[in-house]
Amino acid sequence: MQFPEYRPRRMRRTESLRRLVRETVVRPDDFVFPIFVVPGKGVRKPISSLPGQAQVSVDEAVADAKECESLGIPAVILFGVPDKKDAVGSEAWNDEGLVQKATRAIKQACPELTVMLDACFDEYTTHGHCGVVVDGDVDNDATLENLGRVALSQARAGADVIAPSGMMDGFVGWVRESLDEEGFEQIPIMAYSAKYASCFYGPFREAAGTASDFGHRKAYQMDPANGHEAIREVTLDAGEGADIIMVKPALAYLDVIARVRDEIDLPIAAYNVSGEYAMLKAAAANNWIDHDRAVLETLTSIKRAGADMILTYHAKEAAKLLRRG
Ligand code: PBG
């Protein structure tokens, strides 16, 4: 059927017709809200590169978690911003560490809310890399040993989902085995499977207080030019027992999300990262784009590409916008 018999505009004529044929719907159910936990009490320190976001102490993290729950957001992911750092990031597996404490407090206040924990070392190491550095490079297998310790400490604290993010080879299988050996076979793993060496993590550095003394992450995170390789990575992680596959960042990698959707029948998470959030906020602050529409259009595009859930700093404001309808 061709014009003039077929006129695609017919089904766009009214809002109710558009609603009937809308293919993608974003809901608060789709969101995971990231929280940066710092030491202290009553602390809520704004992050200048992420307007509207703050580093919070454990008590304030509980307040954020309660707000998420009341907005219908099912999950939060916690990042620790400790004042103690060392060469291997041992604070990451301290049972009395910040995210461990915050997890216990949030689970007590909001037992139904899902608490995800990022299992990595970059916030905990003096050099800012995601593991044990040997001869100027992150040593894969030495890092795995410590990653097992982190996952167990997080599971003991009551985390509902463990999310290893360091892009070490074999990390999903290693975490799975470590958890199963200690009786945590019910805890799912969300694997940062296709995580690219991206400049869009820029503002996260300030938010998470990660140092970067030397080098880059190109020797463990993926080359932004590679799409087929993402399929190899997610296939490996699925084989090692990942329960959720992540693609990160989201916006410059929507094609990767769509390809992974076609290849893998596991739930897919997309991380709408700090730089993506910061760009939108900066353009909106200049009145160059309509903030609210940009937020919802961005989130819709990530879902349309194939993501089941979106880790996003927009979670709370988007949930409010969606509630208003
Ligand atoms: C690693 C981690 C990073 C982010 C989430 N987990 C930083 C990195 O890999 O360089 C970035 C998230 C964002 O930019 O919003 N622990």
Side-chain angles (χ1 to χ4, degrees), residues 5-308:
E5 289 77 30
Y6 180 59
R7 290 173 180 268
R9 286 182 53 182
R10 280 181 202 134
M11 291 305 290
R12 299 178 197 141
R13 197 173 50 86
T14 67
E15 176 58 14
S16 48
L17 281 173
R18 291 191 291 272
R19 274 168 53 205
L20 282 170
V21 297
R22 186 157 293 146
E23 298 173 30
T24 308
V25 180
V26 175
R27 311 161 300 166
D29 283 345
D30 304 325
F31 303 150
V32 179
F33 181 65
I35 299 178
F36 298 98
V37 188
V38 291
K41 225 182 157 201
V43 180
R44 185 168 286 274
K45 186 172 170 243
I47 302 163
S48 64
S49 57
L50 293 177
Q53 305 300 314
Q55 295 178 326
V56 293
S57 50
V58 170
D59 53 325
E60 292 290 323
V62 172
D64 276 349
K66 283 183 181 161
E67 192 189 358
C68 285
E69 190 165 55
S70 73
L71 289 167
I73 297 164
V76 295
I77 183 162
L78 309 184
F79 297 95
V81 191
D83 44 14
K84 260 183 272 158
K85 297 183 192 241
D86 62 25
V88 296
S90 61
E91 186 62 18
W93 65 86
N94 177 358
D95 282 345
E96 294 306 315
L98 284 169
V99 295
Q100 286 86 349
K101 278 190 195 151
T103 300
R104 287 193 289 266
I106 291 172
K107 289 306 292 182
Q108 193 167 17
C110 313
E112 297 297 320
L113 189 74
T114 288
V115 176
M116 301 179 163
L117 293 184
D118 184 80
C120 197
F121 301 95
D122 56 334
E123 299 104 42
Y124 301 92
T125 52
T126 39
H127 45 70
H129 277 280
C130 298
V132 179
V133 173
V134 178
D135 297 333
D137 192 12
V138 175
D139 186 285
N140 196 86
D141 299 8
T143 300
L144 290 185
E145 295 278 345
N146 289 342
L147 185 61
R149 299 186 173 110
V150 174
L152 282 177
S153 170
Q154 296 183 339
R156 280 194 295 269
D160 295 297
V161 177
I162 308 284
S165 66
M167 286 296 280
M168 295 300 124
D169 294 337
F171 70 153
V172 174
W174 190 277
V175 168
R176 185 70 275 158
E177 237 174 80
S178 308
L179 291 172
D180 289 0
E181 270 171 21
E182 298 289 324
F184 293 113
E185 67 281 337
Q186 288 300 325
I187 308 266
I189 295 174
M190 176 167 74
Y192 284 66
S193 301
K195 176 176 180 179
Y196 287 86
S198 170
C199 73
F200 291 107
Y201 309 146
F204 183 88
R205 302 271 138 82
E206 183 198 332
T210 53
S212 58
D213 279 0
F214 66 90
H216 48 68
R217 294 166 193 227
K218 294 179 191 170
Y220 42 105
Q221 298 178 350
M222 283 178 59
D223 185 333
N226 294 357
H228 306 307
E229 190 187 353
I231 303 304
R232 280 206 299 284
E233 281 283 5
V234 301
T235 306
L236 280 171
D237 288 357
E240 290 175 26
D243 300 278
I244 302 169
I245 293 289
M246 194 197 294
V247 176
K248 177 184 168 194
L251 292 181
Y253 300 86
L254 293 175
D255 60 318
V256 176
I257 297 173
R259 285 172 72 168
V260 171
R261 173 76 293 159
D262 285 343
E263 299 279 341
I264 295 276
D265 59 4
L266 286 169
I268 298 172
Y271 202 137
N272 176 210
V273 300
S274 56
E276 300 171 342
Y277 175 92
M279 285 195 299
L280 191 159
K281 291 287 174 186
N286 280 294
N287 278 321
W288 292 335
I289 53 170
D290 178 323
H291 174 270
D292 294 354
R293 288 183 59 193
V295 168
L296 294 181
E297 189 172 328
T298 294
L299 297 170
T300 301
S301 75
I302 297 169
K303 255 205 110 177
R304 192 192 61 236
D308 297 289

